[in-house]
């Protein structure tokens, strides 16, 4: 006689199904391809310049300096004659340092790479999470599964945990593989690894972001019963956010309060351990109206709390729906 | 949904399945549609139990409620005396079910689909190969589910239910879309499972198919119980058996048969349909032959005609088709009179 319902056994079965899915394989390949392709750019950035490149840059410098010598006095005079302040009309003299080729430091390129891999993993996890439950609804196999394991919350929990674990693994592999390869290429080209700790911390924060994305895809598809509907929600948001961001860019506008609550800003704040955004602020004086761009900050703590609350609300809401929903 | 305990009879350990006053409605744009209305279902342990009714009569809805897939509005249900869905986890290992079409992951092989189910319920991996062999899919186990014919999908679904070695198997319209060979195969499988000591609950709207394997039946219409009991008892409600007699002069033969205490009726051209009069015992073929021969009327043919489940079913559910607009609260139609003309008959 069998015994249904062992939670860990269910999680193992769900992980087995995830592993067998072609979409999981496709998502993994997508992430690896993104990481691999980025290394082509990294190899170019971290390698020292070739003699030919140095010669070419020297020629560029000489051309620029020659042009400056011939024209800067006349240009500056024209500028001042047009009413501009002298300080605003200075054409600085080109220097050899302006045209020197140097390898991009690890501290600059590693965070960019890790963030790229984090966003690719985010997309992949969302798709995998959505199709994982969406396929069960579309094939009807969820009903079949429930005739074997009727405990709804256990079934829900096992699927959600499997998606979360797979997303975590995917996010970790993507981020740390990216970091490792960038570090390796930097070292092979004689560069230092200054900033490795910060980059590793960013890679670590990419893991919960991937988990959030996977669970979000899972919850959307569970609530809508369709993979495509979940993807539609995500795409719809991408379109809507472009409009919302534009409106919200005016601090005095009706949506001026919105930027700290936009998901994309909170992803960035979590990933980058705090982020900034620009808003336009109008100032009305006796002389008229003037506008300035103001930089505002979203803290890591704000984004962490934001995602924690959203995660709990989404997971609990979906569980309550799934517990009572008719499955046909 | 009700929270009351199942009534005593529903906890009868001799019953594999019992429902009492089961009700389920669905919301539609035109209001609530009643799918199951106060259904009392009793399925004894052992044998094949046919669960019959026209399309849309509530069979699948009832099965889904029993399996916890959908929630009843009210009423009680038990499986092996355990109230469900509250105690479903306690008995689910004793129940295997195929609801409507077999539903597996199309891109996975048959074996992989069963491995996942086996993993979920803690069945040993070796059991997968065994059940595939049992249903004759041993050599096709590594083919993708989507490449299977409908018959193979049904067999795979049966294999899935056998992973649990269940005492009760629930098949919902298992022969839909199958060719005659597939239907025969499924029928044999159901009979074999019952003969091995299991209880098989099979829902169908194809009556003759069920009559050939069922020991007991429940007939429902519009979600309500119309008849239940042994197949023989249900058939008896369809009227007495008859003999169709082909003779040169049917009118003369009818006079002779009336004089002999029988009840002849005009049959198809050149024939007389003969029944025993009520209260005179079973129809005697030898008597028919003898009395006609004594008057010089010699039979060209004598065919036994017996009411079948389909006729009984059609009589019981006639109002389901004729009274489509009738309110659900109407009482169930009365059983037809025993002497009602038969629509068809099986030869013997």
């Amino acid at each position: 006689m069998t015994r249904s319902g062992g939670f860990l056994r269910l999680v193992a079965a769900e992980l087995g199904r995830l592993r067998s899915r072609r979409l999981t394989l496709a998502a993994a390949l997508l992430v690896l391809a993104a990481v691999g392709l980025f290394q082509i750019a990294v190899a170019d950035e971290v390698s020292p310049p070739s003699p030919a490149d140095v010669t070419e840059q020297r020629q560029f410098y000489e051309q620029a300096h020659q042009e400056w010598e011939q024209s800067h006095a006349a240009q500056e005079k024209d500028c001042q004659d047009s009413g501009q302040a002298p300080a605003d009309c200075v054409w600085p003299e080109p220097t050899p340092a302006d045209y020197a080729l140097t390898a991009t430091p690890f501290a600059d390129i590693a965070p960019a790479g890790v963030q790229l891999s984090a966003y690719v993993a985010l997309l992949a996890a969302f798709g995998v999470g959505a199709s994982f439950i969406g396929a069960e609804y579309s094939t009807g196999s969820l009903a079949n599964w429930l005739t074997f394991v009727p405990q709804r919350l256990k079934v829900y929990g096992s699927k959600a945990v499997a998606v979360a674990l797979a997303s975590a693994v995917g996010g970790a592999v993507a981020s740390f593989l990216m970091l490792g390869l960038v570090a390796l290429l930097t070292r092979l080209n004689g560069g230092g690894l200054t900033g490795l700790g910060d980059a590793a911390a960013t890679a670590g924060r990419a893991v919960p972001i991937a988990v959030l994305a996977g669970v979000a895809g899972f919850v959307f598809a569970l609530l809508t019963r369709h993979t495509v509907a979940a993807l539609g929600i995500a795409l719809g948001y991408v379109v809507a956010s472009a409009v919302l961001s534009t409106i919200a860019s005016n601090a005095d506008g009706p949506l001026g309060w919105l930027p700290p609550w936009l998901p994309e800003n909170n992803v960035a704040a979590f990933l980058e351990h705090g982020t900034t955004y620009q808003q336009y602020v109008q100032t009305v004086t006796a002389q008229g109206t003037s506008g300035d761009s103001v930089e505002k900050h979203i803290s890591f703590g704000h984004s962490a709390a934001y995602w924690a609350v959203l995660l709990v609300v989404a997971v609990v809401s979906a569980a309550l729906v799934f517990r009572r929903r008719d499955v046909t | 949904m009700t929270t009351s305990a199942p009534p005593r009879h529903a906890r009868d350990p001799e019953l594999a399945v019992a429902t009492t006053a089961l009700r389920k409605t669905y919301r539609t744009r035109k209001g609530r549609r009643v799918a199951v209305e106060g259904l009392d279902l009793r399925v004894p342990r052992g044998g094949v139990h046919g669960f019959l009714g026209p399309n849309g009569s509530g069979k699948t809805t009832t099965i889904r409620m029993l399996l916890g897939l959908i929630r009843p509005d009210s009423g009680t249900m038990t499986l092996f005396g355990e109230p469900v869905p509250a105690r479903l986890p306690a008995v689910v290992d004793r129940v295997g079910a195929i609801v409507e079409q077999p539903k597996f992951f199309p891109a996975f092989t048959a074996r992989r689909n069963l491995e996942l189910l086996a993993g979920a319920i803690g069945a040993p991996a070796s059991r997968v190969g065994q059940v595939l062999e049992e249903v004759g899919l041993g050599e096709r186990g590594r083919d993708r589910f989507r490449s299977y014919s409908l018959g193979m999908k049904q067999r795979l679904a049966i294999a899935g239910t056998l992973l649990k070695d269940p005492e009760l198997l629930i098949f919902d319209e298992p022969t839909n879309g199958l060719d005659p060979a597939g239907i025969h195969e499924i029928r044999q499988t159901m009979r074999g499972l019952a003969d091995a000591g299991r209880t098989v609950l099979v829902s169908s709207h194809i009556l003759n198919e069920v009559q050939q394997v069922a020991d007991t039946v429940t007939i429902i219409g519009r979600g309500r119980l119309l008849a239940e009991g042994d197949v023989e008892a249900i058939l008896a409600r369809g009227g007495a058996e008859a003999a169709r007699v082909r003779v040169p002069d049917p009118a003369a033969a009818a006079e002779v048969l009336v004089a002999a205490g029988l009840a002849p009726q005009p049959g198809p051209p050149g024939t007389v349909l003969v029944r025993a009069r009520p209260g005179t015992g079973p129809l005697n073929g030898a008597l028919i032959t003898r009395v006609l021969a004594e008057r010089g009327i010699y039979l060209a043919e004598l065919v036994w005609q017996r009411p079948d489940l389909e006729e009984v079913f059609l009589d019981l559910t006639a109002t389901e088709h004729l009274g489509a607009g009738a309110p659900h609260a109407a009482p169930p139609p009365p059983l037809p009179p025993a002497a009602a003309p038969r629509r068809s008959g099986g030869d013997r």
Side-chain angles (χ1 to χ4, degrees), chain B:
Chain B
M1 188 181 146
T2 184
T3 55
S4 60
R8 186 180 301 276
H9 75 81
R11 284 176 282 166
D12 184 347
E14 292 304 309
L15 292 177
V17 179
T19 72
T20 306
L22 193 61
R23 177 182 165 87
K24 174 68 179 179
T25 59
Y26 289 110
R27 268 180 297 188
T28 68
R29 289 179 182 174
K30 295 178 180 175
R32 294 199 82 85
R33 183 178 66 79
V34 178
V36 175
E37 176 69 293
L39 179 63
D40 296 332
L41 173 67
R42 282 173 293 187
V43 179
R45 285 198 190 196
V48 177
H49 185 90
F51 187 34
L52 312 176
N55 287 332
S57 60
K59 302 184 299 294
T60 299
T61 298
T62 301
I63 288 172
R64 284 182 173 146
M65 285 190 283
L66 283 168
L67 296 169
L69 297 176
I70 59 179
R71 304 169 71 85
D73 296 342
S74 61
T76 60
M77 304 178 286
T78 62
L79 290 172
F80 300 108
E82 297 283 355
V84 293
R87 295 272 299 155
L88 188 55
V91 291
V92 74
D93 289 341
R94 300 164 68 185
V95 181
I98 306 169
V99 186
E100 291 191 314
Q101 298 299 310
K103 291 161 180 167
F104 291 98
F105 297 107
F108 289 177
T109 66
R111 177 175 285 276
R112 185 67 183 135
N113 270 296
L114 294 192
E115 283 171 350
L116 291 171
L117 288 172
I121 62 173
S126 59
R127 184 85 185 120
V128 171
Q130 289 170 8
V131 296
L132 283 172
E133 290 293 340
E134 278 183 49
V135 299
L137 290 175
E139 293 181 1
R140 299 291 304 274
R142 300 205 180 277
D143 291 353
R144 291 186 194 280
F145 177 71
R146 69 157 57 102
S147 70
Y148 273 22
S149 68
L150 198 54
M152 291 167 71
K153 288 177 178 175
Q154 283 288 6
R155 281 192 277 159
L156 180 64
I158 293 172
T161 64
L162 295 178
L163 284 172
K164 296 195 277 190
D165 196 17
E167 296 169 50
L168 167 66
L169 288 130
I170 300 175
F171 297 139
D172 183 21
E173 304 277 5
T175 57
N176 269 2
L178 296 185
D179 60 18
I183 292 171
H184 177 75
E185 192 179 338
I186 294 294
R187 206 160 50 213
Q188 293 292 103
T189 301
M190 289 192 293
R191 190 67 256 173
L193 290 166
D195 291 344
R198 294 181 164 106
T199 304
V200 177
L201 170 62
V202 54
S203 84
S204 181
H205 63 276
I206 305 172
L207 284 297
N208 288 335
E209 168 193 311
V210 172
Q211 184 178 344
Q212 293 180 51
V213 289
D215 303 299
T216 54
V217 295
T218 295
I219 300 177
I220 68 169
R222 292 200 177 188
R224 288 184 299 142
L225 180 68
L226 299 178
E228 66 171 349
D230 292 345
V231 172
E232 292 302 323
I234 295 286
L235 289 174
R237 300 169 90 165
E241 61 185 351
R244 192 182 72 223
V245 177
R246 183 175 297 281
V247 287
D249 185 350
E255 285 180 17
V256 171
L257 292 166
V258 168
L262 297 167
Q265 288 179 314
T271 68
V272 180
L273 211 55
V274 189
R275 287 192 174 83
R277 282 186 177 158
T280 60
L283 188 62
N284 187 333
L287 175 65
I288 296 170
T289 310
R290 183 169 55 78
V291 298
L292 290 175
E294 284 174 355
R295 297 298 183 92
I297 301 171
Y298 298 102
L299 304 182
E301 181 185 60
L302 188 152
V303 178
W304 284 99
Q305 293 197 322
R306 197 171 176 236
D308 62 16
L309 212 45
E310 188 168 288
E311 290 177 72
V312 177
F313 174 83
L314 287 171
D315 283 335
L316 287 170
T317 60
T319 55
E320 301 303 313
H321 299 290
L322 297 174
H328 284 293
L335 291 174
R342 307 266 60 84
R343 290 190 181 86
S344 63
D347 294 351
R348 128 180 138 175

Side-chain angles (χ1 to χ4, degrees), chain A residues 99-134:
Chain A
Y99 291 83
L101 284 178
T102 56
T104 306
F106 178 80
D108 288 349
I109 199 164
V114 171
Q115 285 178 32
L116 171 74
S117 63
Y119 281 107
V120 173
L122 179 154
L123 290 175
F126 187 91
V128 168
S131 77
F132 186 62
I133 186 74

